[in-house]
Amino acid sequence: MRHNEPMDSLLQWRKEFPVLENTVYLISHSLGAMPKRSRDRLNEYADIWSTRSIRAWEEGWWEMPIEVGNLVGQIIGAGPGEVTMHPNVSTCQAIVTSCFDWRGKRNKIVSEGLNFPSNLYIDRKLEELGARLVTVASEDEITVPLDRLLAAIDEETLLVSVSHVIFKSSFIQDLKAITQRAHEMGAMVIADVYQSAGTVPVNVREWNVDFATGGSVKWLCGGPGAGYLYVRRDLWPRLEPRVTGWMAHKNPFAFDPGPIEYADTAFRFLNGTPNIPGMYAARSGYEIINEVGVAAIREKSRRQTARLIELADEAGLPVRSPRDPGQRGGTVTIDVPNGYEVTKELLRRDFLVDYRPGAGIRVAPHFYTKDEELDVAVREIQRILAASSVAI
Ligand SMILES: Cc1ncc(COP(=O)(O)O)c(C=O)c1O
């Protein structure tokens, strides 16, 4: 046990996450550990469904996309009622981009080549509706050059679509500078905060971004089925998503055949029946992240990711994440030969990590990680590399 470990008060949370007992859990950038409380919440869902049935809608289910969104809002710096819940980020991105007319002169989308593929797929398909997608390339496949990204934003730019933290390398982008430039040019910003929220401080109102999307599977420990969408409140009256549905109507129970009249509240960004069990599953994760506090999580993450880099350096393993802790999110990518096969072997041995092509093995401590787990994980990678008996 390392000298600083007994002082690590965050380790008291370990008992809330059963999977930590029998795995070395370094995969929270991909799937955060399941809290014990989530099982209780899912049982609650089953009880309510079976006993309250249709009455459950007016006893809480109808308001859930906003009420659960408020828990996320506390994590990302949004105000009450400003975050709506959806099944995933791809849906949220589709909703936002469906608000715009791409046929005019202002039709450019500026993004980075390292943005998450879903976002780029959606943006690229908008070219069929008149949009022009311009992606800023990375020179090292780790960072995104801020000067080139800012220079790409011009008076023909409608939307700047960026990830706060790059999923492959964990590079942190300067959302404040990007938003300032975008607004100077009359463009809007959609920030994907999936790889930051819950481990790197996010403040959508301080940055003044127009939209933010994220999900629950990773750092928020919420499991699959719950994504979230923040839209700057003063924009609401101007935005009419084409990806829509009856829940977005001002008076949904009139079942009016249309055209739709959008709700004045954030309900205007909803569409059909929400994923109620997904929200039951996810909310405990949000509550825990709020209880622990992102500032404390970030402080520990900076220390542990620095330690991981130190260990990788000592072992002679190439690191493909920023070395400057101010530019580095919660993950360290270690690029070893045959990374895919090494990762498979690590998983077999209950070391939970993942592999991304063109990047390497992604290793992520979270607030529940022990320092000693970092040492044993790097040692295990070395062992696998050294073992001639493992066919890799
Ligand atoms: C930054 C980022 N955005 C989006 C996604 C995909 O989100 P979803 O599966 O909810 O659409 C991921 C990861 O899966 C991600 O890392």
Side-chain angles (χ1 to χ4, degrees):
M1 200 171 263
R2 292 178 59 73
H3 64 280
N4 49 9
E5 207 164 283
M7 304 295 294
D8 187 349
S9 60
L10 298 189
L11 293 180
Q12 70 190 357
W13 285 98
R14 284 179 70 82
K15 52 186 182 303
E16 177 64 28
F17 297 91
V19 72
L20 305 182
E21 278 164 33
N22 43 30
T23 59
V24 175
Y25 202 92
L26 296 166
I27 189 85
S28 304
H29 57 279
S30 189
L31 188 80
M34 177 182 167
K36 269 190 195 155
R37 298 181 201 174
S38 299
R39 185 182 294 278
D40 301 334
R41 293 293 192 171
L42 283 165
N43 280 333
E44 195 184 311
Y45 163 67
D47 289 344
I48 290 172
W49 181 19
S50 74
T51 60
R52 301 305 296 158
S53 185
I54 191 69
R55 294 165 292 186
W57 284 111
E58 53 185 54
E59 292 169 10
W61 285 5
W62 183 261
E63 290 297 328
M64 263 186 113
I66 300 286
E67 190 236 328
V68 173
N70 285 339
L71 295 172
V72 175
Q74 288 168 31
I75 299 169
I76 66 168
E82 294 180 347
V83 174
T84 47
M85 299 303 299
H86 301 268
N88 55 50
V89 172
S90 306
T91 303
C92 297
Q93 293 266 333
I95 292 167
V96 170
T97 53
S98 81
C99 292
F100 305 114
D101 183 350
W102 302 97
R103 292 168 300 183
K105 196 162 164 13
R106 192 184 276 280
N107 64 350
K108 197 165 140 183
I109 305 173
V110 174
S111 189
E112 66 267 336
L114 292 179
N115 201 349
F116 191 79
S118 271
N119 305 342
L120 294 174
Y121 299 155
I122 291 166
D123 295 343
R124 185 71 68 198
K125 285 306 277 183
L126 292 170
E127 293 193 323
E128 292 169 17
L129 302 178
R132 276 181 301 143
L133 173 63
V134 172
T135 56
V136 175
S138 169
E139 280 147 19
D140 54 8
E141 291 301 304
I142 298 173
T143 58
V144 180
L146 180 63
D147 51 346
R148 291 199 6 239
L149 185 78
L150 296 183
I153 304 169
D154 57 19
E155 54 289 329
E156 293 189 354
T157 306
L158 199 164
L159 192 63
V160 179
S161 174
V162 284
S163 281
H164 182 210
V165 167
I166 299 296
F167 79 104
K168 273 190 184 180
S169 64
S170 207
F171 173 65
I172 302 178
Q173 301 213 79
D174 186 344
L175 260 295
K176 214 170 177 174
I178 293 168
T179 307
Q180 196 183 330
R181 166 77 181 172
H183 287 176
E184 276 163 18
M185 290 291 130
M188 295 189 188
V189 174
I190 178 168
D192 181 344
V193 298
Y194 208 160
Q195 282 295 350
S196 52
T199 187
V200 174
V202 169
N203 197 322
V204 289
R205 283 189 297 183
E206 194 191 305
W207 298 335
N208 204 21
V209 291
D210 304 282
F211 309 96
T213 64
S216 306
V217 184
K218 309 169 195 290
W219 306 102
L220 300 183
C221 301
Y228 54 87
L229 169 62
Y230 161 80
V231 182
R232 226 179 71 198
R233 195 180 272 271
D234 59 295
L235 299 174
W236 295 359
R238 286 198 264 151
L239 298 172
E240 300 194 341
R242 284 186 294 275
V243 173
T244 190
W246 67 286
M247 280 190 76
H249 197 284
K250 211 175 207 141
N251 191 4
F253 294 100
F255 298 102
D256 183 85
I260 183 169
E261 264 187 76
Y262 289 90
D264 296 326
T265 65
F267 264 72
R268 71 195 285 119
F269 302 110
L270 296 180
N271 36 72
T273 308
N275 183 4
I276 300 289
M279 289 186 280
Y280 270 92
R283 62 179 302 152
S284 305
Y286 309 153
E287 285 161 3
I288 289 171
I289 296 296
N290 275 315
E291 279 173 55
V292 180
V294 174
I297 296 174
R298 174 66 173 157
E299 195 185 325
K300 174 167 176 174
S301 168
R302 281 174 70 129
R303 174 172 67 74
Q304 289 196 323
T305 52
R307 175 65 185 150
L308 259 177
I309 291 178
E310 195 180 299
L311 288 165
D313 285 346
E314 280 166 21
L317 305 174
V319 168
R320 299 194 54 75
S321 292
R323 283 173 181 273
D324 172 357
Q327 288 194 339
R328 185 176 66 239
T331 310
V332 172
T333 305
I334 301 177
D335 189 15
V336 302
N338 303 309
Y340 174 73
E341 288 78 8
V342 173
T343 301
K344 260 176 51 184
E345 182 57 22
L346 283 165
L347 290 169
R348 203 186 60 78
R349 298 181 186 193
D350 290 329
F351 287 78
L352 304 194
V353 293
D354 68 7
Y355 172 79
R356 288 292 174 267
I361 304 175
R362 296 190 302 175
V363 185
H366 206 2
F367 60 96
Y368 37 58
T369 304
K370 293 193 227 168
D371 286 0
E372 66 187 13
E373 291 179 296
L374 309 177
D375 295 65
V376 294
V378 173
R379 209 177 311 136
E380 207 63 23
I381 294 174
Q382 282 180 286
R383 279 207 188 114
I384 294 169
L385 288 170
S388 54
S389 59
V390 180
I392 56 174

